[in-house]
Amino acid sequence: MRIVIAGGHGQIALRLERLLAARGDEVAGIIRRPEQAGDLLAAGAEPVVCDLEKASADEVARHLDGADAAVFAAGAGPGSGEDRKETVDRDAAKLFANAAEAVGVRRFVVISAMGADREPPEGTDPVFAAYLRAKGAADADVRARTALDWTILRPGRLTDDPGTGSVRLAESTGRDDVTRDDVAAVLAALLQEPGTSGRTLELIGGDTPVEDAVRNAARTD
């Protein structure tokens, strides 16, 4: 497969790129800053410099042309304000989906966030609330698209502990931790499991091996 990842220098994205390259996939990562290219090359990915906050859908579509799948892993990141939650976490996700549709890339996987379907509770930090609303709006946009075989993945609290290889993956899991290693492994498996298309799945650490968890998610009505 050829897979294009938006937000290619993110912590999960770099892990995913290593996994995909190791299994023989061709992977490209979209990055905003040219100085990030070396990290992608080291991970086995082709760096593609493109600022998703400024690019047109046609420009992004050119980078997706010929791909078998696309992964939206971009985010404004810590330290960004409310405005960039909207321009990256919401608007860039929509732009990436538009571009995928334009060139016929059907398989589309999104890294989202738990709680994105609900209005943030009273007292939530304003920037985090803006993040959740942006993710929710992006997810709703993707789920309305019939030209994409989409899967939305909502991990729990991310840690940098070594991956366990076992998770809990379901429509509702409750809140708990999950390692970035295991999130990347689940994403890699989702890309090869079309039976998870049209599903929004939560992910936390658990006792089920990743491959089994993804197969089970595909079988569940």
Side-chain angles (χ1 to χ4, degrees), residues 78-94:
S80 58
E82 295 180 41
D83 289 348
R84 292 202 68 227
K85 304 305 183 190
E86 295 181 356
T87 57
V88 180
D89 293 279
R90 184 191 65 192
D91 296 345
K94 294 180 181 181

Side-chain angles (χ1 to χ4, degrees), residues 112-118 139 143 150-156 167-175 186 190 195-204 213-214 216-221:
S112 183
M114 284 191 181
D117 276 339
R118 302 183 295 275
D139 292 354
R143 285 188 295 210
W150 55 264
T151 302
I152 294 170
L153 184 66
R154 293 177 167 171
V167 297
R168 184 178 177 199
L169 180 69
E171 288 185 359
S172 179
T173 62
R175 293 182 178 273
V186 167
L190 287 171
T196 59
S197 297
R199 305 208 61 201
T200 301
L201 300 167
E202 294 184 349
L203 174 67
I204 58 174
V214 171
N216 292 342
R219 286 199 299 263
T220 301
D221 294 329

Side-chain angles (χ1 to χ4, degrees), residues 54-77:
K54 299 176 180 177
S56 67
D58 287 344
E59 180 182 352
V60 180
R62 287 195 293 273
H63 299 310
L64 281 164
D65 195 17
D68 300 294
V71 179
F72 186 79

